[in-house]
Amino acid sequence: MSVRLPHHAASVAAARHRIRKAMADRHVGRRLADDVSLVLSELVTNSVRHAHPLSHGYLEVAWDVSPDMVEVRVTDGGGEHVPQPRGAGADESSGRGLAIVTKLATAWGVEDGPAGTTVWALVRANGLHPAPSGRLKMAR
């Protein structure tokens, strides 16, 4: 499933709402649903803050849901730098998003393509299974 959302801060809540509904429809457990919602929120927030929109001011959010695994993808127009976790100081109010993604996701990565830059994350129940192969610039 995928949706186009405005490249705007309000899209964080819209993306979270849509993924929650998709997970409820697929009977995903509460802990996995909570983790996925937080991961997607962080990816959309990073897109809005640090990347350019796709054409016409949008970003694309996509997901694949199964009861024990969810993959989320956020595609935008890319930014000045490849997304990577950074160390945020104790008094900084931002800068922890990809550290949270790293903690909750089994794997995550970045793919640059002709349609834009996609940051993806794979969140599995209990985080016990290895990530699929074949991804570009895999982080972790």
Side-chain angles (χ1 to χ4, degrees):
M1 176 80 176
S2 68
V3 296
R4 285 193 151 209
L5 297 170
H7 193 262
H8 187 272
S11 291
V12 176
R16 191 172 45 244
H17 173 75
R18 288 177 184 236
I19 193 72
R20 280 273 189 195
K21 180 169 180 354
M23 290 186 294
D25 291 347
R26 297 295 300 267
H27 307 289
V28 169
R30 183 174 150 205
R31 181 171 179 194
L32 179 57
D34 289 346
D35 288 351
V36 169
S37 294
L38 182 53
V39 166
L40 184 59
S41 292
E42 295 299 336
L43 296 182
V44 174
T45 297
N46 284 349
S47 174
V48 170
R49 285 188 177 173
H50 303 294
H52 303 289
L54 293 168
S55 62
H56 305 294
Y58 288 93
L59 59 90
E60 184 171 310
V61 177
W63 56 85
D64 292 311
V65 178
S66 68
D68 65 343
M69 179 199 73
V70 180
E71 182 179 6
V72 294
R73 297 174 299 281
V74 177
T75 303
D76 54 40
E80 301 298 317
H81 305 285
V82 174
Q84 60 185 356
R86 70 174 186 88
D91 18 337
E92 290 183 79
S93 62
S94 65
R96 294 171 185 80
L98 288 177
I100 291 169
V101 171
T102 298
K103 180 71 174 167
L104 295 176
T106 301
W108 71 273
V110 179
E111 298 175 359
D112 286 316
T117 298
T118 299
V119 181
W120 60 269
L122 178 67
V123 184
R124 292 184 184 258
N126 303 318
L128 298 176
H129 306 287
S133 61
R135 300 295 187 177
L136 302 175
K137 294 185 184 175
M138 192 147 137
R140 246 195 98 176

